[in-house]
Amino acid sequence: MKSEILKGIYKQLVLKLEELSRLGGVMGIMHWDQEVIMPKGAAENRSKQMAALAGVLHEKSIDLEFGRLINKLVDTGIENFTEIEQCNIYEAKREYELETKIPKELVQEIAELSSRGHQIWAKARKENKFEDFAPTLERLIFLKKKWAKFSFPNLEPYDANIDIFERGMRMSNLTPIFDQLKKELIPLIAAIKKSSINLETSFLEGDFSIDKQKALGKTISKDIGFDYNNGRMDSSVHPFCGGGHSTDVRITTRYRTENFIESLFGVIHETGHGLYEQGRMPGFLDLPVSESLTMGIHESQSLFWERMIAQNLYFCDYYLNLFVETFPEKLKGVSLNAFYSAINLSRPSFIRVEADEVTYPMHIILRYEIEKGLFDETISVRNLPEVWNDKMEEYLGIRPSSDSEGVLQDVHWSGGAFGYFPSYTLGAMYACQFYSKMLLDINDIPKMIATGNFSCIKKWLNENIHEKGRIFSTDDLVLKVTGEKLNPCFFIDYLKNKYGEIYNL
Ligand code: ZN
């Protein structure tokens, strides 16, 4: 086909993709509004409005004309297009196929059961009755296996579910990586538990004014580079990073008067997600090529700022004065080392979202092994509470006394999101590997952090990760940026060194 005709077809495709992206942005703002400022009474109407918009989006994305344009471009001259254009075409193809391959009834049943499942799960968790949630969970797994056969017929069903969040990642890659983490972290966690060092943390608990916490969070998110001209920060029950566009990024946090560190790290975490969104590839903001790569890479950006930077001794060094000025009644006289050690306290706990960076991966590996077992039928839903508790005991040395603090704690399964959990720990490992490379690329990062100079760090992330969008696969991106594929040793060594020092191991 002549190249002008092909360019014309590509232009039509771009218009359609941009329209979809803008409607998605409207959905993002509606969701933000619902979580942040919507009056309670509007809940029912809002869910109808969002369902109506989701319907419009779905209709547009399965439009036959859309499919024809994509197939023409793929079949008759993909080589005429640039790398960026090819990426847009292939991304459009993947999305189109995912939307059109699955029978409508199956899509509807999953959507309906996921929304009902959430209520059933919330009630079961509150009443501590796993058996009330078990039949829904069984059905959801059955449906997601069926879904996998249609969407990725060549993949194992659990791999297909992982692929939605972490494209290209397979059990065959993950299992050995997680086994290596397990081998190294179980003894580290046990050694920390046995250590004679008792960290003093009482100065982190008290009565911290929410206004002061807000101001502190805003100052630090600005310092590390969040652009308030193209974003804002508010509070919500569940912190998130959303919004309508790369020029309109909305991050949220939640505040508790008893503890300011939690909300501060929450702000820094969401700022990391926000910087990724604000740093997208200029010139292609409404097209798939500039979208974030995977959940794991997104999480690597939030964890990079939260753990590699903010839980670093040099960061504490720079900000301790400001913390003391803000909360003198609790923090006056606290030494840098005491502060740094306190915010890095590591201790096994039942709840994943409250876990520290050493114990967190064990919560994830436990869930990964369980999901894998549920999908290959070596674990049955009926036995889940026991399997869960046994693994908690084996990995973290503690046993939950109720299902609410065990198998019922996470929202993910109630919405049919299987295969999501690995992304959290992949993100932690990517963050660590990126940071190791940055230390080699830029001179004196510690000094920059200790003097509050974060611009080079942000620029490195912008240029190496954010602006690359979806041009490379995750494997290729990590290889290009760091010179090797994902290697868990960076993360393992980082944890061993850091906690070896803190706990005198
Ligand atoms: Zn996150």
Side-chain angles (χ1 to χ4, degrees), residues 322-351:
L322 178 64
F323 298 152
V324 175
E325 263 169 43
T326 313
F327 303 116
E329 39 317 312
K330 288 305 291 186
L331 296 177
K332 212 168 163 205
V334 173
S335 73
L336 172 60
N337 256 313
F339 184 82
Y340 166 72
S341 304
I343 61 156
N344 283 296
L345 173 86
S346 172
R347 186 169 44 199
S349 58
F350 296 116
I351 305 295

Side-chain angles (χ1 to χ4, degrees), residues 254-271:
R254 64 172 158 226
Y255 300 99
R256 286 202 302 134
T257 49
E258 315 86 80
N259 183 320
F260 80 100
I261 282 295
E262 224 176 73
S263 92
L264 181 63
F265 284 157
V267 168
I268 295 169
H269 181 97
E270 298 306 332
T271 299

Side-chain angles (χ1 to χ4, degrees), residues 114-184:
S114 300
S115 120
R116 206 151 42 84
H118 185 267
Q119 294 161 29
I120 296 170
W121 161 78
K123 190 165 174 280
R125 183 171 79 155
K126 206 169 155 215
E127 294 170 0
N128 193 31
K129 275 188 183 158
F130 176 74
E131 63 274 20
D132 285 1
F133 177 54
T136 309
L137 182 57
E138 246 162 16
R139 181 78 188 157
L140 277 167
I141 294 165
F142 171 79
L143 293 174
K144 288 310 285 267
K145 276 189 195 164
K146 215 165 147 188
W147 167 91
K149 288 221 172 78
F150 287 105
S151 54
F152 300 97
N154 301 324
L155 295 184
E156 293 283 336
Y158 185 45
D159 275 339
N161 279 272
I162 294 174
D163 202 84
I164 291 297
F165 306 107
E166 209 55 41
R167 203 185 299 188
M169 188 53 79
R170 303 283 174 263
M171 288 180 274
S172 53
N173 307 114
L174 262 177
T175 303
I177 290 177
F178 280 174
D179 283 347
Q180 197 179 342
L181 281 184
K182 230 161 76 172
K183 202 177 115 226
E184 301 283 350

Side-chain angles (χ1 to χ4, degrees), residues 188-457:
L188 179 63
I189 291 164
I192 292 174
K193 221 172 157 186
K194 263 203 237 139
S195 155
S196 57
I197 305 272
N198 261 325
L199 298 181
E200 169 62 31
T201 56
S202 62
F203 49 82
L204 295 179
E205 285 143 35
D207 189 9
F208 303 96
S209 133
I210 287 183
D211 283 343
K212 285 184 181 172
Q213 290 191 50
K214 275 186 187 165
L216 191 63
K218 187 153 186 189
T219 302
I220 294 180
S221 63
K222 236 185 209 166
D223 287 351
I224 65 183
F226 189 73
D227 177 3
Y228 277 88
N229 198 34
N230 290 312
R232 44 179 299 132
M233 180 168 71
D234 298 272
S235 43
S236 64
V237 178
H238 304 287
F240 67 97
C241 169
H245 195 248
S246 171
T247 58
D248 183 8
V249 177
R250 316 274 178 107
I251 56 176
T252 72
T253 186
R254 64 172 158 226
Y255 300 99
R256 286 202 302 134
T257 49
E258 315 86 80
N259 183 320
F260 80 100
I261 282 295
E262 224 176 73
S263 92
L264 181 63
F265 284 157
V267 168
I268 295 169
H269 181 97
E270 298 306 332
T271 299
H273 282 306
L275 290 176
Y276 192 2
E277 291 300 324
Q278 288 184 338
R280 281 165 64 159
M281 190 188 290
F284 301 93
L285 295 180
D286 291 325
L287 290 171
V289 67
S290 78
E291 276 174 39
S292 59
L293 189 53
T294 63
M295 294 302 302
I297 295 294
H298 226 309
E299 201 59 15
S300 81
Q301 297 308 291
S302 52
L303 292 176
F304 186 94
W305 288 99
E306 182 189 351
R307 292 184 181 166
M308 299 297 115
I309 305 295
Q311 293 180 4
N312 180 311
L313 183 66
Y314 302 101
F315 188 90
C316 298
D317 189 14
Y318 179 64
Y319 280 111
L320 186 57
N321 279 342
L322 178 64
F323 298 152
V324 175
E325 263 169 43
T326 313
F327 303 116
E329 39 317 312
K330 288 305 291 186
L331 296 177
K332 212 168 163 205
V334 173
S335 73
L336 172 60
N337 256 313
F339 184 82
Y340 166 72
S341 304
I343 61 156
N344 283 296
L345 173 86
S346 172
R347 186 169 44 199
S349 58
F350 296 116
I351 305 295
R352 174 184 59 84
V353 295
E354 291 166 7
D356 57 80
E357 61 180 340
V358 188
T359 54
Y360 202 106
M362 300 318 301
H363 289 266
I364 296 305
I365 293 170
L366 173 152
R367 286 155 176 79
Y368 167 73
E369 291 175 346
I370 286 178
E371 287 185 339
K372 195 165 163 274
L374 288 170
F375 273 79
D376 67 20
E377 288 169 23
T378 51
I379 296 177
S380 77
V381 167
R382 209 163 17 96
N383 297 332
L384 262 193
E386 215 179 312
V387 175
W388 183 287
N389 294 348
D390 288 349
K391 281 187 186 285
M392 279 296 282
E393 210 165 344
E394 187 188 344
Y395 299 164
L396 291 167
I398 51 176
R399 193 172 185 93
S401 56
S402 72
D403 292 341
S404 304
E405 62 178 13
V407 66
L408 282 174
Q409 65 182 274
D410 296 305
V411 66
H412 303 60
W413 292 343
S414 75
F418 304 101
Y420 187 113
F421 289 117
S423 296
Y424 293 113
T425 290
L426 285 167
M429 290 188 284
Y430 292 136
C432 205
Q433 194 163 333
F434 290 148
Y435 185 67
S436 306
K437 182 59 168 50
M438 185 187 276
L439 289 174
L440 299 175
D441 283 358
I442 306 175
N443 260 336
D444 231 348
I445 291 275
K447 196 173 158 204
M448 284 180 185
I449 301 174
T451 52
N453 175 8
F454 302 109
S455 57
C456 283
I457 298 173

